[in-house]
Amino acid sequence: MGDPLFSKGVGPTVVLIVLIKTLVVFVFLLVGVLFTIWMLRKVMADMQDRIGPNRAGPYGLLQSVADGIKLFFKEDLLPETADRRVFRLAPYLAAVPAFLTFAVVPIGGTVKLFGHRTILQLADPPVGILLVLALSSIAVYGVMLAGWASGSKYPLLGGVRVTAQMLSYEAAMGLATAAVVLSAGSLSTRVIVTEQANWRWNLWQLGIIPFAVFLLAAAAEMRHRPFDLVEADQELVAGFMTEYSSVRFALFYLAEFMGTITMSAVMITLFLGGPLGPDIGFLGGRVSPLWFFVKLVGFLFLFMWIRTTVPRFRYDQLMDLGWKRMIPLSLAWLLLIAAMRLGVDEGWNRFEVVAIAVAAGTVAAGALAAAMRVSAARREEQELEATV
Amino acid sequence: MDWFVFVVAGALAIAGALGVVLSRNPVHAALMLVMSLLAVAVLFVEQKADFLAAVQVIVYAGAIVVLFLFVIMLIGVDRPESLTVEPLRGQRPFAAFIGVAAFAELFFLVRLQGASGRRASAGSLTSGHESNVERLARPLFTHYLLPFELTSALLVVAVVGAVVLSRRERAVTVDEGEG
């Protein structure tokens, strides 16, 4: 376990290799963001029967570069009522976690660099996947404080909304992750990937439920449609970003797209076997980063597809989906997986285990549904009384 | 290297703690608290307590302080407070006394027990191929299973209690009308 790079002590070459790896990841993410913005605009344009950007560079590829340069030369406004220090700090708090998460994503096997063997992954801490959860919970601060520090109403509402939304969906996300950790028996992202070798991808090994829950929770964490209540333009102008302009706006934009890329990368790691894929010809296992990128682009497309086609949720629907559907579902599924796992270890009859688990699950679901029906009826009654 | 990490993270933790006390704005105080918590998490990593560091960030920085901020933002107490009014009479001298007493206790404990700052060999946080997480999980789910389960039961009771206490029957504002 761990990176073989550090097994022989830390010398100047090792530090150099780490610096190179960090730089490569950073540049990859920045270029990736530019590419993702272009891809989003093209995909959206295609789905809406438009042409999309086609002026700057071939197929409009340089459009995002042009937009970026324009943003940097715009006037940087600071609202009169803003809390200056927090207002300036917030964009960085949003951008840094989005970048850091990528550090634990494995993008390939081991390579030899300057006589040292090293893994194609920035860091492989023993608590790998917990770091992802920690950073995604830290990411709340940027948006939340941006909303508060702007010192006006709509951004504040956006900030409050984002906090509630991200806290709610983090629970479901954590439970879906727990299912993966349970099957891999490790928190290290690298072990999670190697456990999925020979096409034993968690996507189908765990049933589709944890993946589906994680996909929805990730979409909610990324605050894209259908979960973009944070910046719902008909209701909140642009939510927490309303007062931001120039470079700080660009940082939020960057953080958003970096978040999309890193979340896709995390999902590939957890459910789609990371860089695992069939070997190709004489290149053998060296094509694994290629498989990673193919999966990454596939995921980006999936998110763009959802973004373009699904209309926005209402706020109470969002909360209902998170708390009343996804959390109970992922919790029940986690218990089912744990029961089956225990059954395998103890040598119990698999069908009996499943039958008992399904029976217990049905009873629990029935009780939950009944409780929700009662509370909904009661709320309706109260609202009716209040309006009389 | 350890020494360098300790000095930087320790200084940040203390600066954050001072910031919590000295900031006039509740939001700034909460942010300083986050800084302090993150610096302590770095110290945990430096001591090879990886799991504790992760939990520190997820639970304290990621959930509890976010809830603090959420409440501060939601009920709008984000104006700088004036230090001239004392909400509880005699609170400040009492707090100062408790603070000095706690600090003195810590100081004497460290001096008398001869804490050297070296890592104990008996309670090592990792052992051989076992990672910190496994090392923590094994006793927690075998030897200390009952206290662990009791804690979770306690938390459930606390949640149910909070829901019951905060749930008030909505007062019907409309008069029933006479007659």
Side-chain angles (χ1 to χ4, degrees):
Chain A
M1 237 184 49
D3 197 335
L5 182 64
F6 305 113
S7 56
K8 284 179 285 186
V10 179
T13 345
V14 173
V15 174
L16 183 70
I17 291 175
V18 171
L19 281 178
I20 290 175
K21 275 160 83 173
T22 314
L23 197 68
V24 166
V25 168
F26 191 63
V27 170
F28 166 73
L29 277 176
L30 284 182
V31 175
V33 166
L34 292 180
F35 172 75
T36 312
I37 295 172
W38 171 80
M39 182 178 161
L40 172 71
R41 295 183 65 172
K42 276 294 190 191
V43 168
M44 274 187 144
D46 273 358
M47 287 188 180
Q48 295 161 350
D49 205 9
R50 298 185 281 117
I51 294 169
N54 66 348
R55 294 288 116 183
Y59 304 102
L61 260 170
L62 297 176
Q63 183 63 46
S64 336
V65 182
D67 286 343
I69 292 170
K70 185 192 76 173
L71 271 177
F72 273 85
F73 285 109
K74 280 189 139 186
E75 189 188 353
D76 186 18
L77 298 166
L78 209 139
E80 189 78 2
T81 47
D83 185 311
R84 285 160 181 277
R85 270 184 296 172
V86 180
F87 188 82
R88 289 208 176 100
L89 179 70
Y92 298 97
L93 285 181
V96 170
F99 165 65
L100 282 183
T101 313
F102 204 83
V104 296
V105 173
I107 48 178
T110 46
V111 289
K112 221 167 159 87
L113 213 63
F114 305 127
H116 288 267
R117 289 182 61 77
T118 182
I119 48 176
L120 279 179
Q121 177 178 357
L122 205 49
D124 181 25
V127 288
I129 202 67
L130 287 184
L131 197 75
V132 173
L133 293 179
L135 286 170
S136 89
S137 57
I138 290 295
V140 185
Y141 282 107
V143 182
M144 174 186 190
L145 289 170
W148 174 79
S150 298
S152 55
K153 282 199 182 87
Y154 288 131
L156 181 66
L157 283 173
V160 172
R161 276 187 180 187
V162 76
T163 322
Q165 176 177 335
M166 288 178 85
L167 281 183
S168 314
Y169 280 83
E170 242 160 49
M173 191 184 233
L175 285 169
T177 314
V180 175
V181 172
L182 196 66
S183 88
S186 171
L187 293 168
S188 154
T189 42
R190 198 151 198 91
V191 177
I192 288 174
V193 165
T194 46
E195 285 288 315
Q196 300 179 63
N198 301 323
W199 296 99
R200 284 166 50 229
W201 289 2
N202 282 331
L203 177 59
W204 43 79
Q205 286 289 108
L206 297 174
I208 202 88
I209 302 287
F211 173 75
V213 168
F214 199 100
L215 183 74
L216 277 178
E221 294 271 308
M222 289 188 299
R223 313 179 295 274
H224 283 166
R225 237 159 308 161
F227 299 102
D228 64 341
L229 290 115
V230 179
E231 45 199 278
D233 38 6
Q234 292 93 335
E235 305 163 26
L236 298 179
V237 190
F240 66 94
M241 286 205 286
T242 309
E243 306 286 1
Y244 279 89
S245 54
S246 185
V247 182
R248 289 185 233 287
F249 175 81
L251 271 173
F252 272 121
Y253 211 65
L254 191 77
E256 190 183 320
F257 280 90
M258 244 187 212
T260 314
I261 297 176
T262 46
M263 265 305 164
S264 308
V266 167
M267 291 186 70
I268 292 167
T269 308
L270 287 180
F271 296 102
L272 292 176
L276 296 175
D279 296 352
I280 296 179
F282 67 96
L283 284 166
R286 264 168 288 181
V287 289
S288 54
L290 181 73
W291 288 119
F292 180 81
F293 294 129
V294 168
K295 289 173 191 173
L296 190 62
V297 172
F299 253 101
L300 290 176
F301 180 76
L302 179 67
F303 279 123
M304 287 166 191
W305 193 357
I306 296 175
R307 230 182 136 145
T308 319
T309 43
V310 186
R312 184 185 302 138
F313 282 114
R314 219 170 50 209
Y315 198 69
D316 60 323
Q317 290 172 334
L318 175 88
M319 285 292 142
D320 279 1
L321 179 72
W323 288 102
K324 296 184 184 166
R325 306 265 187 281
M326 280 168 58
I327 292 179
L329 179 66
S330 49
L331 184 63
W333 201 261
L334 177 66
L335 290 176
L336 176 69
I337 290 172
M340 285 178 73
R341 174 98 190 192
L342 190 67
V344 171
D345 288 352
E346 302 275 325
W348 294 340
N349 186 332
R350 180 171 292 193
F351 295 103
E352 279 176 29
V353 172
V354 173
I356 293 172
V358 167
T362 314
V363 171
L368 189 67
M372 282 178 196
R373 222 175 11 251
V374 169
S375 84
R378 195 172 291 164
R379 194 183 311 134
E380 213 162 279
E381 205 173 279
Q382 278 178 350
E383 273 166 13
L384 207 65
E385 272 176 33
T387 49
V388 165
Chain B
M1 198 61 197
D2 276 4
W3 182 83
F4 176 71
V5 173
F6 173 77
V7 168
V8 172
L12 279 175
I14 292 173
L18 285 176
V20 176
V21 184
L22 298 177
S23 301
R24 296 210 160 191
N25 187 318
V27 173
H28 291 176
L31 279 179
M32 285 299 185
L33 184 59
V34 176
M35 186 170 98
S36 194
L37 291 171
L38 289 181
V40 173
V42 172
L43 288 177
F44 284 149
V45 173
E46 197 252 326
Q47 294 285 329
K48 296 205 165 50
D50 298 326
F51 185 70
L52 196 55
V55 168
Q56 165 102 351
V57 175
I58 294 173
V59 176
Y60 285 95
I64 292 183
V65 183
V66 169
L67 279 181
F68 284 178
L69 278 175
F70 187 65
V71 172
I72 291 171
M73 277 160 54
L74 202 61
I75 62 178
V77 288
D78 50 358
R79 279 168 293 278
E81 54 181 340
S82 98
L83 290 172
T84 47
V85 284
E86 207 173 0
L88 290 171
R89 191 175 293 238
Q91 180 201 23
R92 279 189 196 131
F94 190 65
F97 171 72
I98 297 273
V100 170
F103 190 76
E105 190 185 355
L106 260 180
F107 183 75
F108 284 117
L109 268 180
V110 169
R111 297 302 290 180
L112 295 180
Q113 299 300 315
S116 60
R118 266 176 304 187
R119 286 183 196 122
S121 55
S124 163
L125 292 166
T126 51
S127 71
H129 63 281
E130 241 185 355
S131 75
N132 176 228
V133 183
E134 287 161 14
R135 182 123 175 104
L136 269 174
R138 210 171 293 284
L140 200 60
F141 286 102
T142 51
H143 193 248
Y144 299 106
L145 184 62
L146 187 64
F148 182 75
E149 292 292 338
L150 282 178
T151 314
S152 63
L154 180 72
L155 287 175
V156 173
V157 170
V159 169
V160 173
V163 170
V164 170
L165 286 177
S166 62
R167 213 191 92 91
R168 46 157 205 263
E169 294 297 324
R170 198 170 297 165
V172 181
T173 47
V174 186
D175 285 349
E176 293 294 323
E178 291 104 354

